[in-house]
């Protein structure tokens, strides 16, 4: 089982400018946490600091009984924490040469290295490739080699910087699911960076959203998607429906100034008004957009000037301009105070990595 990880009062400065501030972040032993945010949010800075490559300007990071921070030698810390970069960064030689490279640096004999590497080669489906030259590997195979090289060192904390970004989407999804099973089996505490919120349920227990170098929200996949703390987080997670409160539509007119947020998958589109609303509001509107999918139809209705996105089953076939009804679940409409709405920095204004 990996060690619990605790970051307290952490600040990182580059060129005298504060680029990352983490008041407190705690991971339980064996927990997998995703770090999300737009470019320049501070994700890479966080990972490099936890890895012991960047030294924080103040604060501390604790893993088990070990502590990393200003004035401390990072050598022992780096023995317990392993970082896997987005690029596999393999050296010339065979798969086995690469998987055992860290063990070689630690002074183990060739026989000891091969014995320790064997189980990880098998777990990651690399046994048959052990003698293959790394230049002959596919992108997915190369990244599995990089993971095996990290895991054979038995780290207490594993850091992953978008490890499968270079492979195609179906392969990436499969590898993330396989990696989650492996990490849960071994109990290694893990932080991983992703730009894609859709990767959260495939790998993470919780997610941390960074915006402008600040912790914006920490929560489960569902909490982040259905209860975003700000407009910026809602937009990052692809929440399609963000409506200004007020007006005459039920549910919005009762709220104070701010935004009402609800993902499209939580909005049902009907062709006829149901007899009973139950725990929902019913909004009449006209069909503005239709998009057919294999598992349903994605609609946009125009309801009193507001675009309302939702889903219907494949039996419903509405045409543009037709009357329809949006069913808004009262428990799933989330209120966001506008004072909590952070705007994304532009690429020019963004903080470093």
């Amino acid at each position: 089982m990996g060690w619990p990880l605790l970051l307290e009062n952490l600040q990182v400065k580059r060129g005298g400018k504060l680029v990352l501030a983490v008041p407190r972040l705690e991971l339980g032993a064996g927990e997998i946490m995703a770090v999300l945010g737009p470019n320049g949010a501070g994700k890479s800075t966080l990972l490099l600091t936890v890895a012991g490559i960047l030294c924080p300007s103040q604060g501390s990071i604790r893993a088990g009984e070990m502590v990393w921070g200003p004035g401390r030698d990072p050598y022992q810390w780096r023995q317990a924490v392993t970082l896997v970069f987005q690029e596999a960064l393999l050296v010339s030689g065979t798969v086995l040469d690469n998987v055992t490279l860290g063990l070689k640096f630690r002074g183990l004999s060739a026989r000891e290295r091969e014995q320790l590497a064997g189980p990880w080669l098998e777990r990651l489906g690399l046994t048959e490739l052990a003698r293959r030259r790394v230049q002959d590997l596919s992108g997915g195979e190369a990244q599995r080699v990089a993971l095996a090289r990290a895991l054979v060192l038995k780290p207490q904390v594993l850091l992953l910087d978008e490890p499968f970004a270079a492979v195609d989407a179906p392969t990436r999804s499969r590898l993330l699911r396989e990696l989650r099973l492996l990490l849960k089996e071994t109990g290694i505490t893990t932080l991983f960076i992703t730009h894609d919120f859709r990767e959260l349920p495939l790998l993470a227990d919780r997610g941390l959203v960074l915006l402008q170098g600040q912790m914006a929200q920490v929560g489960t996949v569902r909490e982040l998607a259905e209860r975003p703390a700000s407009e910026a987080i809602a937009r990052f997670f692809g929440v399609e429906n963000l409506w200004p409160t007020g007006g005459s539509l039920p549910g919005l007119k009762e709220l104070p100034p701010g935004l009402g947020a609800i993902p499209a998958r939580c909005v049902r589109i009907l062709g006829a008004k149901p007899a009973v609303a139950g725990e929902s509001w019913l909004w009449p509107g006209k069909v503005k957009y239709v998009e057919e999918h294999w598992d349903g139809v994605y609609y946009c209705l125009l309801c009193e000037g507001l675009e309302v996105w939702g889903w219907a089953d494949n039996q419903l076939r509405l045409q543009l301009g037709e009357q329809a009804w949006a069913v808004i679940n009262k428990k799933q409409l989330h209120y966001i105070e506008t004072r909590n709405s952070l705007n994304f920095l532009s690429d020019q204004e963004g903080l470093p990595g």
Side-chain angles (χ1 to χ4, degrees), residues 203-218:
L203 185 58
D205 300 313
R206 291 189 297 156
L208 160 66
V209 181
L210 290 176
L211 294 176
Q212 304 175 16
Q214 306 286 327
M215 289 177 62
Q217 190 172 357
V218 179

Side-chain angles (χ1 to χ4, degrees), residues 36-43 195 209-212 236 344-345:
L36 305 102
N39 290 334
K43 302 183 300 298
H195 281 87
V209 181
L210 290 176
L211 294 176
Q212 304 175 16
F236 181 77
F344 288 134
L345 291 174

Side-chain angles (χ1 to χ4, degrees), residues 120-329:
W120 290 108
L121 291 169
E122 184 175 351
R123 284 182 175 184
L124 288 160
L126 296 169
T127 303
E128 300 300 319
L129 305 178
R131 305 297 174 183
R132 182 177 294 184
R133 310 294 294 181
V134 294
Q135 59 264 35
D136 298 326
L137 299 176
S138 68
E141 290 167 344
Q143 203 60 44
R144 291 208 306 271
V145 173
L147 279 169
R149 182 174 59 192
L151 293 169
V152 76
L153 297 175
K154 296 183 178 179
Q156 299 299 324
V157 177
L158 180 64
L159 308 174
L160 304 171
D161 186 0
E162 296 192 271
F164 304 122
V167 301
D168 60 85
T171 303
R172 182 164 62 250
S173 296
R174 176 175 57 80
L175 291 173
L176 285 168
R177 291 188 179 98
E178 292 174 357
L179 179 58
R180 178 176 175 82
L181 290 173
L182 181 61
L183 292 175
K184 287 303 178 183
E185 178 188 337
T186 56
I188 300 173
T189 306
T190 304
L191 266 178
F192 84 96
I193 286 179
T194 179
H195 281 87
D196 190 348
F197 66 89
R198 292 168 296 185
E199 292 185 354
L200 258 72
L202 301 178
L203 185 58
D205 300 313
R206 291 189 297 156
L208 160 66
V209 181
L210 290 176
L211 294 176
Q212 304 175 16
Q214 306 286 327
M215 289 177 62
Q217 190 172 357
V218 179
T220 65
V221 176
R222 174 163 289 186
E223 288 168 347
L224 293 174
E226 297 184 2
R227 294 289 182 267
S230 71
E231 179 183 355
I233 296 174
R235 293 193 183 282
F236 181 77
F237 276 88
V239 176
E240 302 92 333
N241 295 310
L242 287 168
W243 307 304
T245 55
S248 59
L249 287 169
L252 294 181
K253 64 181 180 182
E254 297 87 355
L255 293 172
L259 294 171
I262 186 169
R265 60 183 173 77
C266 297
V267 176
R268 287 190 301 127
I269 305 298
L270 302 176
K273 184 178 181 180
V276 180
E279 292 296 314
S280 300
W281 292 293
L282 302 176
W283 295 358
K286 300 286 187 181
V287 177
K288 181 181 178 180
Y289 179 80
V290 181
E291 186 178 288
E292 293 189 10
H293 292 249
W294 67 271
D295 58 346
V297 186
Y298 187 48
Y299 286 101
C300 178
L301 305 188
L302 200 59
C303 303
E304 296 193 16
L306 295 181
E307 289 187 350
V308 179
W309 296 86
W311 286 87
D313 61 41
N314 279 315
Q315 270 102 41
L316 186 63
R317 285 289 186 269
L318 296 171
Q319 303 300 315
L320 294 178
E322 274 194 74
Q323 174 80 33
W325 294 84
V327 182
I328 313 296
N329 189 294

Side-chain angles (χ1 to χ4, degrees), residues 9 11 21 25-26 48 52 57 77-78 96 107 115 118 131 139 146 176 180 206 213 246 257 307 321 324 332 336 353:
N9 303 316
Q11 291 190 6
L25 179 66
E26 189 168 3
L48 292 172
S57 308
W77 179 265
R78 291 172 184 169
L96 183 61
Q115 286 177 339
R131 305 297 174 183
L176 285 168
R180 178 176 175 82
R206 291 189 297 156
E307 289 187 350
Q332 292 177 315
I336 299 175

Side-chain angles (χ1 to χ4, degrees), residues 79-95:
Q79 300 297 302
V81 179
T82 300
L83 171 61
V84 178
F85 290 98
Q86 184 174 334
E87 297 290 336
L89 301 179
L90 303 182
V91 300
S92 179
T94 67
V95 167

